[in-house]
Coordinates of all heavy atoms in Angstrom, one line a residue:
L98 N -19.3 -10.3 10.4 CA -18.8 -11.3 11.3 C -19.7 -11.4 12.5 O -20.6 -10.6 12.8 CB -17.4 -10.9 11.9 CG -16.3 -10.8 10.8 CD1 -15.1 -10.1 11.6 CD2 -16.0 -12.0 10.2
W101 N -18.7 -12.9 18.4 CA -17.5 -13.6 18.8 C -16.3 -13.4 17.9 O -15.2 -13.1 18.4 CB -17.8 -15.2 18.8 CG -16.6 -15.9 19.3 CD1 -16.2 -16.3 20.5 CD2 -15.7 -16.5 18.4 NE1 -15.1 -17.0 20.5 CE2 -14.7 -17.3 19.2 CE3 -15.5 -16.6 17.0 CZ2 -13.6 -17.9 18.7 CZ3 -14.4 -17.3 16.5 CH2 -13.5 -17.9 17.3
A102 N -16.5 -13.4 16.6 CA -15.4 -13.1 15.6 C -15.0 -11.7 15.7 O -13.7 -11.4 15.7 CB -15.8 -13.5 14.2
I124 N -14.7 -5.4 28.5 CA -15.0 -4.1 27.9 C -15.4 -4.2 26.5 O -16.4 -3.7 26.0 CB -13.9 -3.1 28.2 CG1 -13.7 -2.8 29.6 CG2 -14.0 -1.9 27.3 CD1 -12.5 -1.9 29.9
L141 N -16.3 6.3 26.1 CA -16.0 7.5 26.9 C -14.7 7.2 27.6 O -14.4 6.1 28.1 CB -17.2 7.7 27.9 CG -17.1 9.0 28.8 CD1 -17.3 10.2 27.9 CD2 -18.2 9.0 29.8
L151 N -10.4 2.0 18.6 CA -11.4 0.9 18.9 C -12.6 1.2 18.0 O -13.1 0.2 17.4 CB -11.7 0.9 20.4 CG -12.7 -0.3 20.8 CD1 -12.2 -1.6 20.4 CD2 -12.9 -0.2 22.2
L155 N -13.9 -1.6 15.4 CA -15.3 -2.1 15.4 C -16.1 -2.0 14.2 O -16.7 -3.0 13.7 CB -16.0 -1.5 16.6 CG -15.6 -1.9 18.1 CD1 -16.3 -1.1 19.1 CD2 -16.0 -3.4 18.3
L166 N -17.7 8.4 8.6 CA -17.2 9.2 9.8 C -17.6 10.7 9.8 O -17.5 11.3 8.8 CB -15.6 9.1 9.8 CG -14.9 10.0 10.8 CD1 -15.1 9.5 12.2 CD2 -13.4 9.9 10.5
M203 N -26.5 9.4 7.2 CA -27.6 9.1 6.3 C -27.2 7.8 5.5 O -28.0 6.9 5.2 CB -28.0 10.2 5.5 CG -29.1 9.9 4.4 SD -29.5 11.2 3.4 CE -30.7 12.1 4.4
S233 N -33.5 7.1 18.2 CA -34.7 6.7 18.8 C -35.6 6.0 17.8 O -36.3 5.0 18.0 CB -35.4 7.8 19.6 OG -35.7 8.9 18.8
P238 N -36.0 12.2 8.9 CA -37.0 12.9 8.0 C -36.2 13.9 7.1 O -35.3 14.4 7.4 CB -37.8 13.6 9.0 CG -37.5 13.0 10.4 CD -36.1 12.6 10.2
Q247 N -35.3 5.5 6.2 CA -35.4 4.5 7.4 C -34.1 3.6 7.4 O -33.6 3.2 6.3 CB -36.6 3.6 7.2 CG -37.9 4.4 7.4 CD -39.1 3.4 7.3 OE1 -39.3 2.8 6.4 NE2 -39.9 3.5 8.6
V265 N -15.5 21.5 25.6 CA -16.5 20.3 25.7 C -17.9 20.8 25.9 O -18.1 21.7 26.8 CB -16.0 19.3 26.8 CG1 -17.1 18.3 27.0 CG2 -14.7 18.6 26.4
V280 N -16.9 2.9 29.3 CA -15.8 3.8 29.7 C -14.4 3.0 29.5 O -14.2 1.9 30.0 CB -15.8 4.1 31.2 CG1 -14.6 5.0 31.6 CG2 -17.1 5.0 31.4
E289 N 1.4 -3.1 31.5 CA 0.4 -3.1 30.5 C 0.5 -1.9 29.6 O 0.4 -2.0 28.4 CB -1.0 -3.0 31.1 CG -2.1 -3.1 30.1 CD -3.5 -3.2 30.9 OE1 -3.7 -3.9 31.9 OE2 -4.5 -2.5 30.3
E290 N 0.9 -0.8 30.1 CA 1.1 0.4 29.3 C 2.4 0.3 28.5 O 2.4 0.7 27.3 CB 1.1 1.8 30.0 CG 1.1 2.9 29.3 CD 0.7 4.2 30.0 OE1 0.5 4.1 31.4 OE2 0.6 5.3 29.5
D292 N 3.5 -2.4 27.3 CA 3.2 -3.4 26.2 C 2.4 -2.7 25.1 O 2.7 -2.9 23.9 CB 2.3 -4.5 26.8 CG 2.0 -5.6 25.7 OD1 2.8 -5.9 24.9 OD2 0.8 -6.1 25.8
Q299 N 6.1 -0.1 17.3 CA 6.6 -1.0 16.3 C 5.7 -0.9 15.0 O 6.2 -0.9 13.9 CB 6.7 -2.4 16.8 CG 7.8 -2.6 17.9 CD 7.7 -4.1 18.4 OE1 6.8 -4.9 18.0 NE2 8.5 -4.4 19.4
L307 N 10.3 3.6 8.7 CA 11.5 4.1 9.4 C 12.6 3.1 9.4 O 12.4 1.9 9.4 CB 11.2 4.5 10.9 CG 10.2 5.6 11.1 CD1 9.9 5.7 12.6 CD2 10.8 6.9 10.5
T322 N 6.9 5.6 32.6 CA 7.1 5.9 34.0 C 6.9 7.4 34.3 O 6.1 7.8 35.2 CB 8.3 5.4 34.6 OG1 8.5 4.0 34.5 CG2 8.6 5.8 36.1
T337 N 6.7 9.5 47.0 CA 6.8 10.9 46.8 C 5.7 11.5 45.9 O 5.4 10.9 44.9 CB 8.1 11.3 46.0 OG1 9.3 10.6 46.7 CG2 8.3 12.7 45.9
L346 N -1.1 13.8 29.2 CA 0.0 12.8 29.2 C -0.5 11.4 29.0 O -0.3 10.4 29.8 CB 0.8 12.9 30.5 CG 1.5 14.2 30.9 CD1 2.3 14.1 32.1 CD2 2.4 14.5 29.7
I359 N 12.6 7.5 17.7 CA 13.1 6.5 16.9 C 13.6 7.1 15.6 O 14.6 6.8 14.9 CB 12.0 5.4 16.6 CG1 11.9 4.5 17.9 CG2 12.5 4.5 15.4 CD1 10.9 3.6 17.8
A363 N 17.3 7.1 14.1 CA 17.6 6.5 12.8 C 18.2 7.5 11.8 O 19.1 7.1 11.1 CB 16.3 6.0 12.3
E396 N 10.5 20.9 38.9 CA 10.5 20.3 40.2 C 10.6 18.7 40.1 O 11.3 18.1 41.0 CB 9.2 20.8 40.9 CG 9.0 20.2 42.3 CD 7.8 20.7 43.0 OE1 7.5 21.9 42.8 OE2 7.1 19.9 43.6
L398 N 12.0 17.0 37.7 CA 13.3 16.7 37.3 C 14.3 16.6 38.3 O 15.1 15.7 38.5 CB 13.7 17.6 36.2 CG 14.8 17.2 35.2 CD1 14.4 15.9 34.5 CD2 15.1 18.3 34.2

Side-chain angles (χ1 to χ4, degrees):
L98 299 172
W101 177 87
I124 289 176
L141 188 66
L151 182 56
L155 284 170
L166 170 67
M203 177 182 278
S233 60
Q247 291 185 301
V265 166
V280 178
E289 183 177 317
E290 190 162 3
D292 181 40
Q299 290 175 4
L307 293 174
T322 298
T337 306
L346 297 180
I359 289 173
E396 182 177 316
L398 200 59

